[in-house]
Amino acid sequence: MVKSDQAELPDIFHLNPPILICPKNPTPKHPLYLSNLDDQKFLRFTIKYVYLYRKSVSSEMLKHSLSNVLVEYYPFAGRLRSNPDDNEKLEIDCNGKGVVFAEAFMDMTADNFLSLSSHPNRSWRNLLYRVESSTFLDVPPLVVQVTNLRCGGMILCTAFNHCLCDGIGTSQFLHAWAHLITSTKPTSDLPITPFHTRHVLKSRSPPPSKQHTFLPQFTKTATSKLDDDHDHDDDDDGDGLLDLNQFLQSQPIVPVSLTFTHSHILHLKRLCFPSLKCTTFDIMAAHTWHSWVKALGLSSVLNTKLLFSVNIRKRIEPSLPEGYYGNGFILGCAEVNVKEFINSGSNYLYSGVKLVQQAKTSVTDSCVRSVVDLLEDRTVKPDLSTSLVISQWSKLGLEDLDLGQGKPLQMGPLTSDIYCLFLPVVGEIDAVRILISLPEAVADKFKYYMMNMDYFDRSIDGLVS
């Protein structure tokens, strides 16, 4: 449960009942196979984006262009279901039933919302229409709500079923929709043609015997069942070890938002240069992971893991086709002993970055194929017992979504979770916003370890947003 003392949003009024937007033209009707990367149990939730715009776009234009883009992206107008031959395997019934589109009004200005936008709280959930359903499978793969504001601005909220697409896929869809909104031609080809087929990531049959080695980013559950009514997997491993994921979700947590400017990031990188060159993700992942471990006070005898998404589109042979919008990532895994990590002093960045880079390098074609094969075992899931999970949204172009009235003032998630997000900062291409929820008792410690570094300039004001 997320606890926050941030100001709650005023009541949101739905102008009309939500409607279903169907593809404008007839679309193929067939079941769409989902790869083992798509229907992992921990991905059975929705990716929820919030966009704030200074000026609104007419609802008729949004609905008309959405209907058009669904002709090309027709699986989003279908419904998720269990495979008739394997109850634990998911697929998409491409039936053209449509996506949910809701309209609402909120007595608030864009500037008011912008001042609150770094710290989501429970009242934000009203920005997205909640589909009444008995199971996760009954919710349409795409839900959209447009909330118009008193000042003439608007908030666009979208919820994508993660089993259909990853972050790159959602960005591809949103930019295709925006392209049709802003195009001057009645019919316009999309900049990227979507590639629907997922068999390019089908497991080998039978898997090579040498691939039976278990991978460190995974663990196994005692039982397997279709989890179709949860947003997150919170099963008890039953092995007597600390399950940090379960512990964190069992108590009130508060969102922490930290913005690192290009200058702040350069300070961190210089500690590793010239002996070690690194990307912004490498340095920020290492720094965040170290601060998280210290703030939580994990036992020195434990090993801690950092899990993060690695795009595999160009890492496998042959590469995934252009326009592939399904889940084209696996989790990279870095692991270190807590005592060793904490006691590394000022060298923690160097050692942390090396671990992150090694985890990225290990994601080869062979590794990806092994993961796909391994996931044939339905009891396999990511090891979240003592892991920090980072998802990078800052390099997907999400912040550039122009629906015809200019780029957004802000974009981010609908909720804050114990998973860490690296978010884009609108107008600052080289900056990164870190958003994570932590137990209230350790939130200030985490901020301290992230901000108060001896090698940072004293002028650190403004780091916390």
Side-chain angles (χ1 to χ4, degrees), residues 213-249:
T213 303
F214 209 73
L215 298 168
Q217 53 267 61
F218 293 105
T219 186
K220 296 189 73 169
T221 56
T223 59
S224 173
K225 67 183 183 73
L226 181 64
D227 182 15
D228 61 3
D229 57 357
H230 292 80
D231 262 8
H232 297 289
D233 175 19
D234 58 359
D235 290 347
D236 185 357
D237 289 332
D239 55 10
L241 297 176
L242 168 68
D243 187 338
L244 191 60
N245 179 59
Q246 191 174 47
F247 168 72
L248 292 176
Q249 297 204 50

Side-chain angles (χ1 to χ4, degrees), residues 106-386:
M106 183 169 63
D107 189 14
M108 193 178 204
T109 68
D111 288 329
N112 291 153
F113 186 81
L114 186 61
S115 68
L116 307 173
S117 60
S118 63
H119 292 81
N121 62 44
R122 291 185 67 84
S123 69
W124 285 35
R125 299 185 184 208
N126 293 326
L127 293 170
L128 180 68
Y129 179 78
R130 184 175 180 84
V131 177
E132 294 297 330
S133 62
S134 57
T135 73
F136 167 73
L137 298 180
D138 294 334
V139 179
L142 177 57
V143 178
V144 176
Q145 179 171 316
V146 176
T147 302
N148 292 295
L149 305 175
R150 183 177 73 230
C151 62
M154 89 175 176
I155 295 172
L156 172 70
C157 192
T158 60
F160 291 90
N161 189 303
H162 208 328
C163 294
L164 265 74
C165 52
D166 59 9
I168 292 174
T170 62
S171 181
Q172 182 178 307
F173 177 92
L174 288 169
H175 281 282
W177 184 16
H179 175 77
L180 294 183
I181 294 173
T182 57
S183 176
T184 56
K185 299 179 181 179
T187 58
S188 178
D189 293 334
L190 299 182
I192 300 176
T193 301
F195 186 88
H196 305 294
T197 305
R198 312 296 170 90
H199 285 86
V200 290
L201 287 174
K202 195 171 178 63
S203 61
R204 294 169 288 192
S205 181
S209 58
K210 66 179 181 180
Q211 302 298 335
H212 291 321
T213 303
F214 209 73
L215 298 168
Q217 53 267 61
F218 293 105
T219 186
K220 296 189 73 169
T221 56
T223 59
S224 173
K225 67 183 183 73
L226 181 64
D227 182 15
D228 61 3
D229 57 357
H230 292 80
D231 262 8
H232 297 289
D233 175 19
D234 58 359
D235 290 347
D236 185 357
D237 289 332
D239 55 10
L241 297 176
L242 168 68
D243 187 338
L244 191 60
N245 179 59
Q246 191 174 47
F247 168 72
L248 292 176
Q249 297 204 50
S250 69
Q251 57 185 308
I253 54 178
V254 295
V256 176
S257 175
L258 305 167
T259 298
F260 282 74
T261 67
H262 181 53
S263 176
H264 297 138
I265 295 167
L266 282 179
H267 273 287
L268 290 170
K269 286 184 176 182
R270 286 181 186 131
L271 285 178
C272 296
F273 187 82
S275 58
L276 182 64
K277 295 182 180 180
C278 59
T279 66
T280 294
F281 177 83
D282 296 340
I283 199 74
M284 291 309 306
H287 180 51
T288 304
W289 185 23
H290 185 265
S291 300
W292 180 83
V293 170
K294 287 190 71 174
L296 289 174
L298 298 183
S299 169
S300 62
V301 301
L302 292 174
N303 281 356
T304 177
K305 294 178 182 179
L306 173 70
L307 304 180
F308 57 93
S309 53
V310 179
N311 180 11
I312 65 168
R313 284 166 171 78
K314 302 298 184 183
R315 289 176 178 261
I316 61 173
E317 300 172 4
S319 300
L320 289 180
E322 183 183 18
Y324 188 91
Y325 62 90
N327 286 282
F329 77 94
I330 68 170
L331 291 175
C333 177
E335 185 174 10
V336 69
N337 173 262
V338 169
K339 182 178 180 179
E340 178 185 335
F341 201 24
I342 295 301
N343 292 343
S344 57
S346 60
N347 291 326
Y348 80 88
L349 272 178
Y350 183 92
S351 59
V353 166
K354 288 287 288 184
L355 289 169
V356 172
Q357 292 180 340
Q358 289 166 5
K360 289 163 66 175
T361 302
S362 70
V363 179
T364 60
D365 176 77
S366 175
C367 174
V368 173
R369 302 298 177 187
S370 297
V371 169
V372 173
D373 293 342
L374 184 64
L375 291 172
E376 281 292 304
D377 182 348
R378 301 289 194 263
T379 66
V380 170
K381 68 173 187 177
D383 180 11
L384 303 178
S385 58
T386 55

Side-chain angles (χ1 to χ4, degrees), residues 2-16:
V2 177
K3 178 182 178 181
S4 177
D5 57 1
Q6 298 294 313
E8 295 202 348
L9 300 181
D11 291 339
I12 292 176
F13 302 96
H14 285 272
L15 307 179
N16 297 296

